[in-house]
């Protein structure tokens, strides 16, 4: 199935716009978004699974680009038609253009199996997107009840998290909630490429958003793009009531499957394709 055949229909809609920057004298924000109707019975979600030799909080996933995630999923009979990069991960710059075992940050689940426990390193990565086929999608502020630093140390996943994972199809964490019951929040200064996701008030529509970046030496980050606050506003403008920030910068990638060419293609415009720790995929199986 070619996702282009479903673009701008009731199930999957694409928007690609240049939004005027909220800051004077700056170039427009280059935005790509997909809106997914989660009530369509043909649509479901999936995400990056465990790496071979999985060890909680040390070796959790194998890095790949989001396009590779789409292609590899389809080769395993998971008809992924679109995907976005998701969780922050332990980035080693020298390895960002190759597939390596990595540790992703925050709570993550794939097909009912725990991939990553909640982080206990100052509780930074606590905004979490959760999805199951019964209750649907939601965004939660998942806080740990364990104190102390366990950075990059293997430890047994808490039984409560293993149990929660078994009830879920997908979970992924991010850098923070930027839209809370219609209220936009987040840092208003630091700009970069950004990835985010949002949910409508009735949790029917999932919006995936990527904002591109361009070099700008006058900015503290060295880049001109979107702030955290910008992402919250963008998600709100696309109809979301709640939204969260995913991994961004060089990790930002939004892609879909082009059935006519039988290949995955980028929708966003990253400067290069980093191998990221995890991706969230949209699957489409026609209901007979």
């Amino acid at each position: 199935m070619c996702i282009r055949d479903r673009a701008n229909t009731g199930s999957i809609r694409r928007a690609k716009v240049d939004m005027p920057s909220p800051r004077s004298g700056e170039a427009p924000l280059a935005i790509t978004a997909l809106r997914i109707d989660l009530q369509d019975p043909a649509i479901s979600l999936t995400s990056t699974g465990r790496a071979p030799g999985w060890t909680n909080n040390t070796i959790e996933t194998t890095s790949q680009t989001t396009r590779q995630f789409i292609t590899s999923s389809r080769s395993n009979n998971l008809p992924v038609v679109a995907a976005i990069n998701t969780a922050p991960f332990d980035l080693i710059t020298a390895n960002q253009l190759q597939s390596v075992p990595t540790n992703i940050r925050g709570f993550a689940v794939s097909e009912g199996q725990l991939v990553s426990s909640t982080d206990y390193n100052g509780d930074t990565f606590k905004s979490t997107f959760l999805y199951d086929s019964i209750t649907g999608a939601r965004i939660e502020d998942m806080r740990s009840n364990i104190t102390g630093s366990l950075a990059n140390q293997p430890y047994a996943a808490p039984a409560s998290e293993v149990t929660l994972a078994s009830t879920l199809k997908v979970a992924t964490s991010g850098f923070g909630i930027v839209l809370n019951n219609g209220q936009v929040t987040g840092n208003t200064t630091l700009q970069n490429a950004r990835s985010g996701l949002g949910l409508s008030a009735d949790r029917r529509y999932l919006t995936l958003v990527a904002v591109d970046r361009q070099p700008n030496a006058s900015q503290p980050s060295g880049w001109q793009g979107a702030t955290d606050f910008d992402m919250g506003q963008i998600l709100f403008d696309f109809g979301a009531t709640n939204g969260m920030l995913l991994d961004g910068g060089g990790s930002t990638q939004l892609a879909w499957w082009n059935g006519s060419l039988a290949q995955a293609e980028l929708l966003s415009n990253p400067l290069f394709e980093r191998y990221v720790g995890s991706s969230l995929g949209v699957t489409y199986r026609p209901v007979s």
Side-chain angles (χ1 to χ4, degrees):
M1 173 275 229
C2 173
I3 193 172
R4 284 194 182 279
D5 298 336
R6 297 197 62 79
N8 296 317
T9 70
S11 296
I12 301 173
R13 302 189 66 177
R14 179 182 70 156
K16 195 170 183 68
V17 297
D18 289 333
M19 186 186 87
S21 173
R23 293 162 292 276
S24 62
E26 291 187 357
L29 299 179
I31 301 168
T32 308
L34 292 176
R35 190 190 73 168
I36 297 98
D37 185 353
L38 296 176
Q39 286 189 6
D40 184 337
I43 286 178
S44 187
L45 302 178
T46 189
S47 58
T48 302
R50 288 182 174 183
W54 177 84
T55 305
N56 188 50
N57 203 44
T58 305
I59 299 173
E60 294 181 335
T61 65
T62 301
S63 64
Q64 58 184 169
T65 69
T66 296
R67 286 200 298 164
Q68 289 172 337
F69 169 77
I70 293 174
T71 302
S72 62
S73 296
R74 295 181 69 89
S75 69
N76 289 316
N77 201 34
L78 273 175
V80 173
V81 294
I84 193 170
N85 71 291
T86 49
F89 64 104
D90 291 340
L91 173 65
I92 300 174
T93 303
N95 293 336
Q96 65 181 322
L97 298 179
Q98 58 185 315
S99 180
V100 294
T102 191
N103 176 41
I104 62 175
R105 312 308 301 272
F107 185 70
V109 175
S110 178
E111 306 297 330
Q113 185 177 57
L114 183 75
V115 176
S116 175
S117 284
T118 303
D119 273 299
Y120 304 124
N121 312 315
D123 209 27
T124 305
F125 308 100
K126 58 182 179 291
S127 58
T128 307
F129 172 78
L130 308 101
Y131 169 81
D132 66 81
S133 57
I134 305 300
T135 61
R138 57 197 186 274
I139 295 172
E140 294 186 2
D141 192 353
M142 291 185 63
R143 297 177 181 271
S144 70
N145 56 12
I146 294 180
T147 59
S149 176
L150 291 169
N152 300 313
Q153 298 177 35
Y155 59 88
S160 60
E161 294 190 8
V162 175
T163 299
L164 174 60
S166 70
T167 69
L168 301 169
K169 200 167 191 308
V170 161
T172 187
S173 295
F175 273 116
I177 292 173
V178 291
L179 181 62
N180 186 18
N181 293 323
Q183 296 298 310
V184 178
T185 185
N187 180 278
T188 60
T189 304
L190 196 63
Q191 299 183 43
N192 214 323
R194 301 291 181 199
S195 298
L197 62 81
L199 286 172
S200 58
D202 59 4
R203 300 189 295 160
R204 174 175 179 173
Y205 294 105
L206 169 66
T207 302
L208 307 178
V209 174
V211 182
D212 297 328
R213 65 180 178 179
Q214 57 183 304
N216 187 332
S218 68
Q219 296 297 326
S221 65
W223 302 101
Q224 186 169 301
T227 66
D228 298 358
F229 189 91
D230 292 341
M231 177 56 78
Q233 186 62 56
I234 291 166
L235 290 168
F236 179 79
D237 291 342
F238 276 113
T241 299
N242 293 285
M244 58 183 275
L245 195 68
L246 303 170
D247 194 15
S251 296
T252 289
Q253 299 166 51
L254 180 61
W256 69 7
W257 180 255
N258 185 326
S260 300
L261 299 177
Q263 66 184 30
E265 64 181 15
L266 284 168
L267 297 176
S268 61
N269 188 32
L271 301 182
F272 62 94
E273 285 185 87
R274 174 180 288 166
Y275 284 60
V276 296
S278 60
S279 295
L280 174 69
V282 181
T283 66
Y284 182 83
R285 293 185 191 271
V287 177
S288 57

